Amino acid sequence: MKILTGNDLRTGDVIWWTGLDWSRLVKDAADVGDQGEAILHREEAARRVNSPYIIDAEQTEDGPRPGHIKDRVRALGPTVRPDLTLKPADPDAAEWVI
Protein backbone atom coordinates (compact mmCIF):
# COMPACT_ATOMS: atom_id res chain seq x y z
CA MET A 1 0.00 0.00 0.00
CA LYS A 2 1.21 3.52 -0.83
CA ILE A 3 -0.09 6.59 1.00
CA LEU A 4 0.55 10.29 0.49
CA THR A 5 1.55 12.69 3.26
CA GLY A 6 2.78 16.25 3.56
CA ASN A 7 2.22 19.38 5.62
CA ASP A 8 -0.75 21.73 5.57
CA LEU A 9 0.35 25.07 4.10
CA ARG A 10 -1.61 27.19 6.58
CA THR A 11 -0.88 25.37 9.84
CA GLY A 12 2.14 23.17 9.15
CA ASP A 13 0.18 20.16 10.46
CA VAL A 14 0.98 16.70 9.11
CA ILE A 15 -1.78 15.69 6.71
CA TRP A 16 -2.72 12.52 4.81
CA TRP A 17 -4.44 12.13 1.43
CA THR A 18 -7.89 10.52 1.82
CA GLY A 19 -8.64 9.97 -1.85
CA LEU A 20 -10.72 13.16 -2.04
CA ASP A 21 -9.06 15.65 0.29
CA TRP A 22 -6.59 15.88 3.19
CA SER A 23 -7.00 14.72 6.79
CA ARG A 24 -4.92 15.14 9.93
CA LEU A 25 -5.59 11.48 10.78
CA VAL A 26 -3.51 8.71 9.22
CA LYS A 27 -6.45 6.32 9.68
CA ASP A 28 -8.22 8.30 6.93
CA ALA A 29 -5.36 7.84 4.42
CA ALA A 30 -6.21 6.10 1.16
CA ASP A 31 -4.04 3.86 -0.96
CA VAL A 32 -2.84 6.00 -3.90
CA GLY A 33 -1.42 3.06 -5.84
CA ASP A 34 0.06 4.02 -9.20
CA GLN A 35 -1.63 7.46 -9.05
CA GLY A 36 0.52 8.73 -6.18
CA GLU A 37 2.93 10.83 -8.26
CA ALA A 38 0.09 12.44 -10.26
CA ILE A 39 -1.86 13.28 -7.09
CA LEU A 40 1.29 14.59 -5.41
CA HIS A 41 2.09 16.96 -8.28
CA ARG A 42 -1.50 18.14 -8.68
CA GLU A 43 -1.97 18.88 -4.97
CA GLU A 44 1.40 20.61 -4.62
CA ALA A 45 0.73 22.74 -7.73
CA ALA A 46 -2.68 23.71 -6.33
CA ARG A 47 -0.88 24.90 -3.16
CA ARG A 48 -2.95 22.66 -0.87
CA VAL A 49 0.04 20.85 0.62
CA ASN A 50 3.71 21.51 1.29
CA SER A 51 6.43 18.95 0.52
CA PRO A 52 4.16 15.97 -0.17
CA TYR A 53 5.70 12.54 -0.54
CA ILE A 54 4.61 8.94 -0.95
CA ILE A 55 5.34 6.34 1.70
CA ASP A 56 4.92 2.60 2.08
CA ALA A 57 2.29 1.48 4.55
CA GLU A 58 0.38 -1.62 5.50
CA GLN A 59 -3.36 -1.82 6.03
CA THR A 60 -4.32 -2.81 9.58
CA GLU A 61 -7.69 -3.06 11.32
CA ASP A 62 -7.00 0.45 12.71
CA GLY A 63 -6.19 1.90 9.27
CA PRO A 64 -2.91 2.36 7.42
CA ARG A 65 0.32 1.92 9.38
CA PRO A 66 3.34 3.71 7.88
CA GLY A 67 6.22 1.34 7.21
CA HIS A 68 9.03 3.60 8.42
CA ILE A 69 9.37 4.66 12.07
CA LYS A 70 9.83 8.33 11.05
CA ASP A 71 6.43 8.32 9.36
CA ARG A 72 4.81 6.44 12.25
CA VAL A 73 6.03 9.20 14.59
CA ARG A 74 4.67 11.87 12.20
CA ALA A 75 1.34 10.03 12.20
CA LEU A 76 1.10 10.29 15.97
CA GLY A 77 1.01 14.07 15.79
CA PRO A 78 2.99 16.68 17.71
CA THR A 79 5.61 15.16 19.97
CA VAL A 80 5.97 18.10 22.33
CA ARG A 81 5.56 16.92 25.90
CA PRO A 82 4.35 19.74 28.16
CA ASP A 83 5.89 18.02 31.19
CA LEU A 84 9.36 18.37 29.61
CA THR A 85 9.20 22.01 28.56
CA LEU A 86 11.10 24.73 30.39
CA LYS A 87 8.77 27.35 31.78
CA PRO A 88 10.13 30.88 32.43
CA ALA A 89 8.44 30.94 35.83
CA ASP A 90 10.08 27.64 36.81
CA PRO A 91 12.90 28.45 39.31
CA ASP A 92 14.64 25.17 38.40
CA ALA A 93 14.76 26.04 34.68
CA ALA A 94 18.27 26.70 33.49
CA GLU A 95 19.00 30.02 31.80
CA TRP A 96 20.80 29.81 28.48
CA VAL A 97 23.82 32.05 28.10
CA ILE A 98 25.34 32.53 24.66
Side-chain angles (χ1 to χ4, degrees):
M1 156 176 227
K2 302 280 186 190
I3 58 177
L4 182 58
T5 185
N7 293 89
D8 183 78
L9 282 172
R10 288 174 281 142
T11 65
D13 291 346
V14 173
I15 53 178
W16 307 89
W17 179 249
T18 68
L20 299 173
D21 203 354
W22 294 93
S23 172
R24 287 181 175 81
L25 304 174
V26 70
K27 71 178 185 174
D28 296 336
D31 186 359
V32 295
D34 295 339
Q35 298 300 311
E37 288 291 326
I39 295 167
L40 179 151
H41 293 297
R42 183 186 72 227
E43 291 296 305
E44 189 170 37
R47 313 276 302 154
R48 287 188 279 267
V49 63
N50 186 38
S51 302
Y53 61 100
I54 300 166
I55 62 171
D56 291 318
E58 66 177 294
Q59 185 62 44
T60 71
E61 62 184 38
D62 296 322
R65 181 177 187 263
H68 192 279
I69 187 68
K70 174 190 77 139
D71 296 309
R72 288 197 296 269
V73 169
R74 288 185 79 230
L76 292 174
T79 57
V80 177
R81 288 185 47 189
D83 59 318
L84 295 179
T85 60
L86 296 176
K87 299 169 189 70
D90 186 346
D92 296 325
E95 193 172 312
W96 292 94
V97 178
I98 297 178

